[in-house]
Amino acid sequence: MAFTKYSKWTGVDWQAISLEDLLAKLADYLLQSGFDQPYSDYGYEQEQTLDDLRDAIMRALLQEGLLSDEELDSLTDERGDLRLEAMAELVDRLIERLIQEGYITLGEDTSQSPGAGQSMPNSAGGKTGKGVEKSVKFELTNKGIDFLGFKALKELASALGKASFGRHDTNQLSTGVEASASPKRYEFGDTLNLDISATLKSAIQREGLGVPLNLEYSDLLVHQTDYQSSCATVLMLDCSHSMILYGEDRFTPAKRVALALTHLIRTQYPGDSLRVVLFHDSAEEIPIGEVARAQVGPYHTNTRAGLGLARRILMSQRKDMRQIIMITDGKPSAMTLDDGRIYKNPMGLDPRILQETFREVAACRRSNIMINTFMLADDYYLVDFVKKVTEICQGKAYFTTTMTLGQYVLMDYLKRRTKQIH
């Protein structure tokens, strides 16, 4: 027998609040990159707790227009003060919905004893105990990350005006199943998708109408289709300390771009691949699902290591096009020596580091890998460095800001997919 549990009416219909709108307002909090953390804390993993999430949801409800004036009035007393108990009840209900809908998941709380009794509202509604302890951690699920990518892509696409997303058309023709051009003579290696009418017509024109009809090799005509290419992309994200210096968070917009590209490729270009590489003192590949949790640290910029790892990843991909999208704001200031040690020099452009970096850029060029650099700074010496990279690899360089970064990356990705493959 089904049971229905009731709770006290607070004046706000918590089930009517859009979780999508709530997540959109929480995006900055969920994608934070360490901008608000003190430098001394960078060595520690910045975990998000449910108590932090409660505070963020409360700010969104009170400041981001998710509640109407009437609903806000219902949450205040006669003196105009916020009724904390009613607000806490509302926030807990929203967290319950986020869990039930699969946008977030709870981590294990190792600080509590087995009998402590956690309190999140259960799936049937109502409460099951005391409030969840502050130390309980939560994580975004793949569904939550994908939604943030969808929202980022939607915002970027709307900023571009009218855009038509589709597979990567080129100027070349190939043989395939869907005919979109006149037939061609069959050549060894073509898909044997015969144009029966054209093949029979060729044989009749050669021999005349009669039975039996001899078919020669030269009579075989096959359909042609538009050749559509596939692309392998490595997105290189600079997570050195400078990405949050100078009063600006540059890393969070870069993460938004990664999530938007992921959603675009997954939904519109399923034949493409996207991998993400973080570069700092060294470089490592991270899963797409970890992008939202990536943070900057007290690192230097080892551009050479990032390019080397990206090149090795791309060489393992059997795609028509290979490209690196590098988002950075600083000069190369570190390199990995042959013995594994990290050589660092943050003072100016070190000739030794530059030489090794350019050597790796040249290796990418020899491997037919395009490098598109998106520079979040415009210092004259950085401009010269990026120009040199562009000259070597025959790629493109964009000097942009955090406000326009996503638009530039998205436009560049879409344009390059429609270019002819040589």
Side-chain angles (χ1 to χ4, degrees):
M1 180 177 179
F3 291 91
T4 302
K5 295 187 178 182
Y6 298 92
S7 59
K8 183 179 179 182
W9 170 251
T10 63
V12 179
D13 186 358
W14 55 274
Q15 291 182 322
I17 296 177
S18 170
L19 292 185
E20 288 75 16
D21 290 343
L22 177 61
L23 282 173
K25 300 299 183 183
L26 294 175
D28 286 338
Y29 162 72
L30 296 172
L31 296 177
Q32 59 185 306
S33 304
F35 180 66
D36 296 324
Q37 300 295 332
Y39 184 85
S40 58
D41 291 344
Y42 286 161
Y44 302 93
E45 184 177 357
Q46 304 294 336
E47 294 182 306
Q48 296 171 316
T49 66
L50 279 180
D51 198 58
D52 297 330
L53 180 60
R54 283 196 184 94
D55 293 340
I57 292 177
M58 187 175 298
R59 287 193 299 270
L61 292 174
L62 296 177
Q63 302 173 10
E64 300 292 343
L66 293 176
L67 299 177
S68 65
D69 292 339
E70 292 78 10
E71 290 173 325
L72 287 173
D73 290 340
S74 70
L75 292 171
T76 57
D77 57 23
E78 297 177 353
R79 295 178 299 178
D81 296 330
L82 183 66
R83 295 193 291 122
L84 296 180
E85 184 177 351
M87 176 59 76
E89 175 77 14
L90 174 60
V91 170
D92 278 346
R93 294 294 186 181
L94 292 175
I95 293 177
E96 173 193 9
R97 288 184 60 201
L98 289 172
I99 296 173
Q100 290 177 344
E101 294 294 327
Y103 288 111
I104 64 173
T105 183
L106 297 183
E108 295 197 13
D109 179 20
T110 56
S111 65
Q112 292 196 64
S113 62
Q118 296 186 5
S119 79
M120 187 48 55
N122 62 24
S123 60
K127 287 191 174 181
T128 60
K130 67 176 186 177
V132 176
E133 300 295 335
K134 293 182 180 182
S135 57
V136 176
K137 308 299 188 299
F138 78 93
E139 291 183 353
L140 276 172
T141 63
N142 289 338
K143 179 180 178 180
I145 292 173
D146 188 59
F147 175 78
L148 294 179
F150 164 75
K151 292 293 291 184
L153 177 61
K154 186 176 180 181
E155 292 172 1
L156 295 179
S158 63
L160 299 178
K162 292 183 179 180
S164 177
F165 295 150
R167 288 167 294 180
H168 311 322
D169 295 326
T170 70
N171 297 330
Q172 293 185 344
L173 297 175
S174 67
T175 55
V177 177
E178 295 183 9
S180 59
S182 59
K184 66 179 285 289
R185 298 287 178 186
Y186 173 77
E187 297 177 8
F188 180 77
D190 287 344
T191 302
L192 193 57
N193 183 28
L194 289 178
D195 186 327
I196 301 300
S197 299
T199 298
L200 292 176
K201 181 180 178 181
S202 175
I204 292 172
Q205 287 176 339
R206 180 175 49 79
E207 290 203 348
L209 188 59
V211 179
L213 183 64
N214 276 331
L215 287 179
E216 299 288 346
Y217 187 88
S218 60
D219 294 326
L220 300 180
L221 294 164
V222 292
H223 292 294
Q224 291 191 101
T225 65
D226 289 329
Y227 178 75
Q228 294 179 322
S229 66
S230 59
C231 180
T233 299
V234 169
L235 182 61
M236 283 178 53
L237 301 181
D238 181 353
C239 61
S240 63
H241 183 217
S242 61
M243 290 290 280
I244 59 168
L245 283 180
Y246 317 116
E248 183 179 33
D249 181 2
R250 298 168 173 176
F251 192 57
T252 298
K255 292 200 294 185
R256 288 182 186 272
V257 169
L259 295 177
L261 275 179
T262 301
H263 190 84
L264 174 66
I265 290 173
R266 187 181 63 80
T267 57
Q268 302 295 333
Y269 306 108
D272 286 10
S273 67
L274 176 66
R275 310 276 283 272
V276 178
V277 167
L278 299 182
F279 65 105
H280 36 85
D281 286 351
S282 57
E284 72 271 352
E285 181 184 2
I286 63 171
I288 294 295
E290 296 296 322
V291 170
R293 291 181 282 273
Q295 297 198 348
V296 297
Y299 305 126
H300 295 75
T301 308
N302 194 337
T303 308
R304 178 201 180 197
L307 290 173
L309 177 57
R311 178 172 58 84
R312 292 191 295 274
I313 292 173
L314 289 173
M315 292 307 295
S316 67
Q317 303 289 307
R318 300 186 63 180
K319 304 291 184 182
D320 296 322
M321 292 183 287
R322 300 183 181 96
Q323 70 167 346
I324 294 173
I325 296 177
M326 180 169 63
I327 301 176
T328 182
D329 74 333
K331 61 184 181 297
S333 57
M335 59 175 283
T336 304
L337 301 176
D338 293 338
D339 59 6
R341 291 180 300 133
I342 307 296
Y343 171 75
K344 306 172 184 177
N345 184 2
M347 306 302 295
L349 290 173
D350 188 296
R352 183 181 181 186
I353 296 176
L354 282 182
Q355 181 180 8
E356 293 300 322
T357 302
F358 292 145
R359 185 173 297 172
E360 187 58 52
V361 172
C364 290
R365 172 57 183 167
R366 290 192 298 270
S367 301
N368 293 320
I369 296 173
M370 188 73 68
I371 302 175
N372 301 319
T373 306
F374 295 83
M375 179 62 73
L376 295 170
D378 57 2
D379 306 77
Y380 70 91
Y381 58 93
L382 293 179
V383 172
D384 290 340
F385 164 70
V386 173
K387 284 183 177 179
K388 183 64 175 178
V389 171
T390 304
E391 177 184 345
I392 295 174
C393 70
Q394 298 181 10
K396 283 192 175 182
Y398 300 86
F399 293 89
T400 181
T401 67
T402 55
M403 300 298 293
T404 58
L405 171 64
Q407 298 173 32
Y408 274 104
V409 173
L410 186 62
M411 284 190 297
D412 178 79
Y413 186 83
L414 294 174
K415 287 179 180 178
R416 287 190 178 277
R417 291 326 107 232
T418 59
K419 294 183 72 174
Q420 181 175 354
I421 307 301
H422 297 286

